[in-house]
Amino acid sequence: MTSQIPALIIVVPLLVSLVVSLAAWIRQSLCYAAALCAMLVAWISAILVMGRVINQGVITYRMAGWAPPWGISWHIDHFNAIILILIATVALINLIATRSTAAREFEDRPGVFYALYLLFVTGLMGIVITGDIFNLYVLLEIASLSGYALLGMGSGRAAVSSLSYLFIGTIGASLYLFGAGYLYIATGSLNMADIAAILPTIEQTGVIQVSFILCLIGLFMKMAFFPLHTWLPNAYTHAPNSSASLIAPLTTKVMIYVMIRIVLFVYQPEFAFAEMDIDRVIVWLAVIAILAGSMLAWKQERLKRMLAYIIVAEVGYMVGGFWLGNTAGMTGAVLHILNDAMMTLCLFLAAGAVISRVQTDAFGALQGVFTKMPFSMIAFVAGALSIIGVPPTCGFFSKWYLISGGMEAGHYAFVAALIISSLVNVLLFFRVIEIGYFEPFDSHHHKNGQTVREAPLDMLVPLLVTAGLLIVMGFYANTLVTWIVKPAISAATMGGL
Amino acid sequence: MEELAAVFVARYNYWGVIILMGIGLYAMIAKTNMVKKIIGMNIFQTAIILFYISTAAKYGASIPIIAHGHGAQGHGIRAADYMNPLPHVLMLTAIVVSVATLGVALALAVRVYWNYDSLEEDEILNQIKAGQLNRK
Amino acid sequence: MIAVVSAKPLIAVLVSLAVIPVLISARKPNVRETWTFAAALIKFGIIASMVPAILAGHTLEFTIAPLFAGIAFKLKVDAFGLLFALVASFLWIVTSAYSIGYMRGLDEHSQTRYFCFFAAALSATIGVAFSANLLTLYIFYEMLSLSTYPLVTHHQDREARSSGRKYLFYIMGGSIGLVLPAMIAIYLIAGNLDFAAGGILAGSIGALPAAALLLMLVFGFSKAGIMPVHAWLPAAMVAPTPVSALLHAVAVVKVGVFSVFRIITDIFGPGMLLNFGFDTLLCIIAAVTILGSSLIALSQDNLKRRLAFSTIGQLSYIILGAALLTQSGMAGGMLHIAMHAFGKITLFFCAGAIMVAAGIKNISEMKGLGLQMPVTMGAFFVGALSVIGLPPCGGFISKWYLAIGTIEAEQFLMLAVLLASSLLNAAYFLPIVYRAFFCNPDETMFEHRIKEAPGWCLAPPVATAAISVILFFYPQPFFNLSQLAVSRILGG
């Protein structure tokens, strides 16, 4: 029985997502309960899988018993096991936290929301767990399509923004598929481990290089790597809060995971770093992404929009850190995937809590929120400090690895970009904090004379738990690195970089 | 010159794919109508599907059905006699994906139309700028 | 020397954090204040209980969690850290008393927030004092920066906001922009960040990168107020006076100086600094600040701003002591942390008492005030004497050792700087006292007789002034600790 646990991670949310849409016919409140149960099962399974990976090493799960390379195999090592836990945790916390928000934003059809929610999570989990490059594409599209739908169900500009996200996302996925096709032509296989074994044995031709570049560009589009980020700010700003706080922390991070997985475990470092020789170029692009993201964030006048541009900068952190090509940089990138997801979740949930009370996230309306919503704002400050990189929040620790990676690689522009971006983040967040803390509360901004109170408990508790996790993850950063990140990276780079 | 012609002619399938992709991309970038953009997107996806299918083809090969699979003794099965079935199978899935994408895109376009009474991008942008949200 | 594993340092750090939930939930001011007092007393008790072990030559250590390969979140109590912790935790008790009088006297708002962040700031201060390595120190340093921000901006008006901006700009800019990269570079070079006698960088770095790292750290720890990164301190004077008194004369600024001191002695190490001739460089940086700030102080009319510039100068005395790298110089620097703390806090307490009782902020309005508020101005006089460095006050002792240190190091120019600065100190403090006692007030000034400040505001400055005098006759507790600390640094 225990050997089937990996299947549960995917199958349970997938099946329940179908059940949920039916349950809506019976009773609407069932939807939330069913979704919650599914997420709990997925979360517990993810943790059990992690335990097994740590104790017994890599798990290869054969879908329907077909042996690879013919059947689709799932491949779970330290790296994707921790990402699975991350996805499950974020989705679970967000599910609980946004219950009331979702009930308001999707009042007539909670079934649709929760079905898409689970489908999105299924897609992401599948992307992470699969060991097959074509299967990855399909799951990528499952996650993306449910993501477009979730983002597009907001009011106002949401549909337009989601549609332009869909265009860019589809091109990105298609380019990835195109690249995977070339890889298949060259190797005759779709199984990642199989390709990795075949690639070094065959002659290196232009085909493989083209496939590499196509995959990479496709993924860059999907992860909103500057200047391919244009879809992100609009899509996240206008989306319903309950879906934005699910999608914003996860999508870009999972795409970065895919990039790392493809580069390290399919093409492998000797090819990707030594032969392609594009690592320095990409780090420079990352420098530009970090600086541009920070600067663009500075120009925003709305909280969610500012956070969206900060994500663009953070993507630069991870891409740059990974392409530094040394252990410290990669450790930083992997650790930052985990940390950034949690801090983004924390900030988006806090923004959601504020919006649920203040009705808008324009900076001008945030006057006096510290007095009215002290606990939500404490969580917001915790998330902000983590983004800035103040110890002992987790953001500091990944930044530490990224900076030391930059120094080891002698890439001082990257180091400078990280430092500058941290300083800009101080300005960004303290601008918001100043408004909330200093300026008097202006009651004109509230419709119907509604008085602003602290967010409801079911929103506040998950938010504070997330904020607490940011500090806990900081203190356990070393444990994470020694037990999970190091084995994950060394598995791919046995020869050393 | 001859060599160049050979490159074009011998790999006409790739050129076809590239031209289709170009058309699709052009439609997505240059057209302002949302539905035209969606059609462009679909052409783009179709180009990649064609690319996969064309890689499976072989001269003189038949469809990969082994008539006397288990009983065919004496002569082994030569892979070169059959087309590669895998890309076809993959593309069945990819077609499903692209249809689903098309469905979501059209659904979003309908929502956009409800909101703005228009599918022209510049018109919608004007409306957004003017802040005249003509919500349903 | 035995390294004893003990949770005492951790408890000492946490005790004031632990009281925060109580402070938040307490509805009545009396309960809140009682708990603050209790926390302060317990904290001082724990810290004082470590003195015998340290004087016996042991160190107390406690590892909280590993952070990176080779670096742990670790506390370690040695003589220097204990000296600083003793001063800070003792003065917290006094300041708590003073806060009660001041906050009630002026009927300030948000007192719960005020006491909570005050407690958090003290935790961070003791954490810095007990840090076993640079990273732990950095963590507490940042915690202190952030917990003092709401205190500095307590009034929540425009002036507070602009001061808060300045405060963040200098403090966070320094710590993130300069200290963080320098710290990571040191980690990559040395493999760890432990504070070790003799430094961890010796022999593994050339002169030019060493100079760059040293300057990044010295200016990055901008709480030390070295010019030109001092401008936050006068701006921070918009804070309520107890904050200025404890944090901006003792805890925060001394944390900066303490950090720089640790860098000089335990990261770079005296041997390396002497080899490269950086001691002179540091001396010059300190001397410029000493003289520059004293000159600026002369021109300030607002009493708290004048005190702030005086603090900037006095802080660099301590840096100078460290930079001399001699037995007496360093001992003098360490002693000055204690001596200046008691003197300067007295002055701030008096400034606050004047504000509570008479509402006067500017020196030009203080003519004849001494006759109205004799106790306050008397305490002010004693505090001023101590900061100037005249007997019979504690400040004389530390300056004496600093002066001997300059002679030992043969930095005679620095001796001249010390003397000139003492004259300047006298020039900006004594006229205040003179004016208060011997000038006739303007006719309209005191139509109504001004009473002394309430007891809660009055007793603390009198107590600290008395201690300043006592420390002149009986400096042993601090003196012994400083001797122990210096012998470890120079012996190692």
Side-chain angles (χ1 to χ4, degrees):
Chain A
M1 181 56 208
T2 53
S3 63
Q4 299 298 327
I5 287 177
L8 288 183
I9 300 178
I10 307 293
V11 173
V12 171
L14 181 64
L15 290 181
V16 176
S17 77
L18 303 176
V19 173
V20 161
S21 36
L22 298 178
W25 292 95
I26 307 166
R27 257 182 69 182
Q28 298 210 329
S29 57
L30 277 180
C31 301
Y32 172 76
L36 185 65
C37 291
M39 280 318 305
L40 271 175
V41 171
W43 186 68
I44 292 166
S45 318
I47 286 173
L48 291 176
V49 165
M50 179 89 244
R52 271 184 65 197
V53 168
I54 288 177
N55 288 329
Q56 298 165 18
V58 176
I59 302 173
T60 308
Y61 180 84
R62 292 166 183 184
M63 203 64 192
W66 289 89
W70 298 283
I72 293 170
S73 74
W74 288 353
H75 172 93
I76 309 168
D77 56 14
H78 291 83
F79 188 17
N80 47 13
I82 191 69
I83 305 279
L84 286 175
I85 294 185
L86 175 77
I87 296 172
T89 311
V90 169
L92 182 64
I93 291 177
N94 186 58
L95 187 73
I96 299 168
T98 58
R99 183 183 180 181
S100 52
T101 316
R104 199 175 56 246
E105 286 173 334
F106 299 90
E107 50 185 335
D108 44 342
R109 46 202 169 158
V112 178
F113 173 71
Y114 287 113
L116 285 171
Y117 195 102
L118 290 174
L119 211 53
F120 178 77
V121 175
T122 310
L124 290 185
M125 298 272 209
I127 292 172
V128 172
I129 211 170
T130 188
D132 182 288
I133 56 171
F134 183 78
N135 195 220
L136 197 152
Y137 163 78
V138 176
L139 291 158
L140 190 69
E141 285 300 69
I142 291 178
S144 301
L145 287 174
S146 32
Y148 306 141
L150 282 173
L151 292 173
M153 291 198 325
S155 57
R157 286 181 66 181
V160 186
S161 314
S162 183
L163 195 55
S164 57
Y165 174 25
L166 183 143
F167 289 140
I168 295 177
T170 305
I171 295 181
S174 302
L175 287 181
Y176 169 81
L177 182 63
F178 203 19
Y182 274 114
L183 200 55
Y184 174 66
I185 294 177
T187 61
S189 179
L190 291 168
N191 184 286
M192 288 184 190
D194 206 29
I195 296 175
I198 294 170
L199 269 183
T201 64
I202 59 176
E203 196 192 343
Q204 298 293 342
T205 58
V207 175
I208 297 170
Q209 294 184 356
V210 169
S211 76
F212 183 69
I213 298 289
L214 284 173
C215 283
L216 215 52
I217 293 176
L219 292 173
F220 281 166
M221 291 179 109
K222 282 267 179 192
M223 73 175 72
F225 186 50
F226 185 88
L228 304 172
H229 70 285
T230 45
W231 57 268
L232 185 142
N234 277 331
Y236 290 177
T237 309
H238 303 293
N241 289 320
S242 43
S243 23
S245 49
L246 171 73
I247 294 173
L250 290 178
T251 310
T252 52
K253 259 57 78 181
V254 169
M255 289 307 129
I256 288 161
Y257 159 83
V258 173
M259 177 188 79
I260 297 177
R261 167 70 61 189
I262 297 276
V263 170
L264 286 188
F265 293 84
V266 177
Y267 290 94
Q268 297 157 80
E270 299 91 72
F271 171 79
F273 287 93
E275 282 192 35
M276 288 302 291
D277 204 22
I278 50 170
D279 45 338
R280 285 193 86 80
V281 178
I282 297 180
V283 178
W284 273 106
L285 287 175
V287 169
I288 296 169
I290 294 171
L291 296 177
S294 301
M295 299 306 152
L296 288 169
W298 178 247
K299 291 175 68 183
Q300 307 310 318
E301 296 289 323
R302 296 172 72 101
L303 191 53
K304 266 165 82 185
R305 217 174 156 73
M306 182 188 95
L307 296 178
Y309 277 105
I310 289 175
I311 295 177
V312 173
E314 300 280 322
V315 168
Y317 283 29
M318 288 171 267
V319 173
F322 173 73
W323 284 97
L324 285 172
N326 52 32
T327 314
M330 288 192 188
T331 309
V334 173
L335 193 60
H336 204 65
I337 291 181
L338 309 176
N339 295 343
D340 192 43
M342 293 313 287
M343 29 210 214
T344 316
L345 175 70
C346 181
L347 287 170
F348 268 85
L349 283 181
V354 170
I355 293 169
S356 76
R357 290 303 192 204
V358 187
Q359 311 302 338
T360 167
D361 64 342
F363 286 165
L366 299 179
Q367 298 183 336
V369 276
F370 266 93
T371 330
K372 306 281 180 179
M373 308 178 67
F375 292 103
S376 306
M377 289 315 280
I378 285 174
F380 179 81
V381 170
L385 294 182
S386 190
I387 294 262
I388 294 169
V390 177
T393 53
C394 58
F396 171 77
F397 294 90
S398 38
K399 202 164 271 179
W400 174 286
Y401 283 107
L402 290 171
I403 293 177
S404 44
M407 284 183 177
E408 272 176 30
H411 208 302
Y412 292 102
F414 184 64
V415 175
L418 286 174
I419 301 281
I420 292 170
S421 145
S422 302
L423 293 172
V424 173
N425 286 341
V426 175
L427 297 177
L428 287 174
F429 282 108
F430 272 91
R431 182 168 58 153
V432 178
I433 291 170
E434 274 185 355
I435 294 171
Y437 179 64
F438 289 104
E439 295 186 13
F441 203 74
D442 190 349
S443 52
H444 301 301
H445 285 279
H446 305 289
K447 295 162 190 166
N448 330 328
Q450 184 190 12
T451 51
V452 172
R453 295 173 283 125
E454 182 55 271
L457 266 188
D458 63 342
M459 195 180 269
L460 199 58
V461 171
L463 177 58
L464 289 174
V465 166
T466 316
L469 274 177
L470 293 181
I471 293 167
V472 172
M473 280 169 72
F475 275 108
Y476 284 92
N478 190 55
T479 318
L480 273 177
V481 168
T482 25
W483 281 93
I484 293 159
V485 181
K486 281 262 158 64
I489 295 172
S490 59
T493 57
M494 277 175 296
L497 286 158
Chain B
M1 195 59 210
E2 245 172 61
E3 283 172 26
L4 203 64
V7 168
F8 273 96
V9 172
R11 299 181 181 167
Y12 63 91
N13 55 333
Y14 294 108
W15 294 111
V17 166
I18 286 169
I19 290 165
L20 275 178
M21 283 174 88
I23 293 171
L25 266 182
Y26 169 80
M28 291 174 79
I29 295 165
K31 295 295 170 191
T32 57
N33 187 298
M34 293 284 180
V35 174
K36 285 184 182 165
K37 278 175 181 279
I38 291 170
I39 293 171
M41 181 187 80
N42 223 21
I43 294 175
F44 190 86
Q45 288 177 305
T46 311
I48 290 162
I49 292 171
L50 267 180
F51 160 76
Y52 267 81
I53 299 295
S54 70
T55 61
K58 292 171 191 167
Y59 281 109
S62 71
I63 51 170
I65 296 173
I66 299 168
H68 314 287
H70 293 289
Q73 288 159 351
H75 54 93
I77 297 161
R78 294 201 309 145
D81 289 343
Y82 302 100
M83 295 220 273
N84 185 353
L86 189 66
H88 295 83
V89 178
L90 298 180
M91 283 313 107
L92 274 179
T93 318
I95 288 167
V96 173
V97 169
S98 88
V99 168
T101 313
L102 184 65
V104 174
L106 287 174
L108 285 172
V110 170
R111 266 186 88 91
V112 171
Y113 189 73
W114 282 352
N115 279 344
Y116 300 100
D117 275 333
S118 167
L119 283 172
E120 296 294 327
E121 198 175 38
D122 37 6
E123 215 166 284
I124 294 169
L125 283 178
N126 281 338
Q127 282 193 36
I128 289 172
K129 269 181 198 153
Q132 301 165 337
L133 285 190
N134 190 8
R135 279 190 213 137
K136 192 187 171 226
Chain C
M1 190 168 84
I2 306 164
V4 186
V5 176
S6 160
K8 267 188 193 173
L10 180 66
I11 300 169
V13 170
L14 289 183
V15 100
S16 41
L17 276 184
V19 84
I20 287 180
V22 185
L23 293 183
I24 290 175
S25 57
R27 300 262 169 215
K28 288 182 187 156
N30 280 337
V31 180
R32 199 169 54 207
E33 284 151 7
T34 315
W35 276 102
T36 304
F37 254 121
L41 282 171
I42 295 169
K43 195 174 192 107
F44 179 70
I46 295 168
I47 290 169
S49 75
M50 290 187 257
V51 172
I54 301 297
L55 281 179
H58 306 317
T59 57
L60 304 177
E61 295 188 357
F62 191 81
T63 306
I64 299 167
L67 296 179
F68 296 105
I71 319 175
F73 191 37
K74 187 177 169 188
L75 301 173
K76 178 177 161 189
V77 187
D78 65 0
F80 183 31
L82 187 66
L83 185 156
F84 178 39
L86 273 177
V87 174
S89 63
F90 178 75
L91 288 176
W92 189 30
I93 305 176
V94 183
T95 312
S96 298
Y98 186 77
S99 288
I100 295 168
Y102 184 86
M103 299 302 272
R104 286 189 175 183
L106 291 182
D107 199 19
E108 290 274 358
H109 67 294
S110 306
Q111 293 194 21
T112 306
R113 185 183 73 207
Y114 170 86
F115 281 107
C116 287
F117 281 104
F118 217 116
L122 256 291
S123 270
T125 307
I126 304 302
V128 168
F130 290 166
S131 293
N133 54 48
L134 188 54
L135 182 59
T136 312
L137 187 144
Y138 181 81
I139 292 174
F140 283 116
Y141 183 93
E142 289 288 51
M143 185 175 150
L144 182 61
S145 311
L146 293 164
S147 54
T148 44
Y149 175 79
L151 295 173
V152 169
T153 58
H154 184 80
H155 293 306
Q156 288 176 259
D157 51 16
R158 279 183 200 286
E159 196 191 358
R161 187 176 70 177
S162 71
S163 298
R165 281 182 186 169
K166 214 169 204 175
Y167 185 75
L168 278 180
F169 177 82
Y170 281 98
I171 304 273
M172 299 287 277
S175 65
I176 294 176
L178 295 173
V179 175
L180 181 62
M183 183 165 65
I184 295 175
I186 291 173
Y187 173 61
L188 292 179
I189 293 165
N192 70 65
L193 289 171
D194 289 337
F195 292 135
I200 55 169
L201 278 173
S204 49
I205 185 171
L208 203 62
L213 289 176
L214 182 65
L215 291 179
M216 280 170 89
L217 288 170
V218 167
F219 289 111
F221 283 120
S222 46
K223 284 181 186 151
I226 295 171
M227 284 184 173
V229 290
H230 67 286
W232 63 271
L233 185 56
M237 289 301 142
V238 300
T241 302
V243 174
S244 310
L246 184 58
L247 297 180
H248 299 129
V250 183
V252 172
V253 289
K254 298 264 156 69
V255 157
V257 173
F258 182 86
S259 309
V260 174
F261 210 114
R262 280 278 199 220
I263 301 293
I264 291 172
T265 57
D266 288 9
I267 295 289
F268 286 87
M272 178 181 175
L273 294 175
L274 281 173
N275 270 346
F276 290 145
F278 290 166
D279 52 334
T280 315
L281 175 74
L282 287 168
C283 281
I284 291 168
I285 292 173
V288 168
T289 309
I290 292 174
L291 294 177
S293 66
S294 300
L295 289 171
I296 297 173
L298 278 174
S299 67
Q300 300 297 321
D301 188 35
N302 182 310
L303 180 56
K304 274 173 80 181
R305 281 183 71 87
R306 185 175 288 196
L307 293 177
F309 277 103
S310 158
T311 304
I312 294 169
Q314 300 290 325
L315 293 174
S316 282
Y317 277 54
I318 301 165
I319 309 267
L320 177 67
L324 290 172
L325 299 175
T326 61
Q327 175 86 29
S328 307
M330 283 200 266
M334 290 179 187
L335 277 176
H336 203 60
I337 289 185
M339 302 306 183
H340 172 248
F342 282 97
K344 190 49 75 53
I345 204 167
T346 309
L347 296 176
F348 271 110
F349 281 159
C350 293
I354 295 169
M355 206 150 89
V356 171
I360 294 173
K361 289 179 181 175
N362 291 333
I363 296 162
S364 53
E365 298 163 18
M366 290 183 185
K367 283 181 187 166
L369 195 61
L371 304 175
Q372 316 275 334
M373 303 175 67
V375 182
T376 310
M377 291 315 290
F380 189 92
F381 180 57
V382 175
L385 284 184
S386 185
V387 174
I388 297 166
L390 293 175
C393 291
F396 173 73
I397 306 224
S398 50
K399 281 213 176 152
W400 175 261
Y401 279 100
L402 283 173
I404 293 178
T406 58
I407 296 167
E408 281 176 357
E410 298 179 350
Q411 302 267 18
F412 296 111
L413 190 61
M414 292 305 135
L415 183 61
V417 168
L418 276 181
L419 295 177
S421 159
S422 292
L423 282 178
L424 287 170
N425 292 347
Y428 60 70
F429 275 135
L430 294 182
I432 304 173
V433 182
Y434 174 80
R435 203 177 276 216
F437 281 110
F438 301 113
C439 283
N440 288 324
D442 296 339
E443 285 173 10
T444 52
M445 280 279 306
F446 301 117
E447 285 175 343
H448 307 289
R449 192 180 151 71
I450 294 172
K451 276 189 236 153
E452 284 280 2
W456 283 113
C457 276
L458 199 58
V462 173
T464 49
I467 293 170
S468 282
V469 176
I470 292 169
L471 281 175
F472 174 76
F473 296 104
Y474 188 71
Q476 269 77 1
F478 296 126
F479 184 74
N480 291 345
L481 285 172
S482 72
Q483 288 300 320
L484 203 63
V486 173
S487 64
R488 183 191 67 92
I489 293 164
L490 293 177

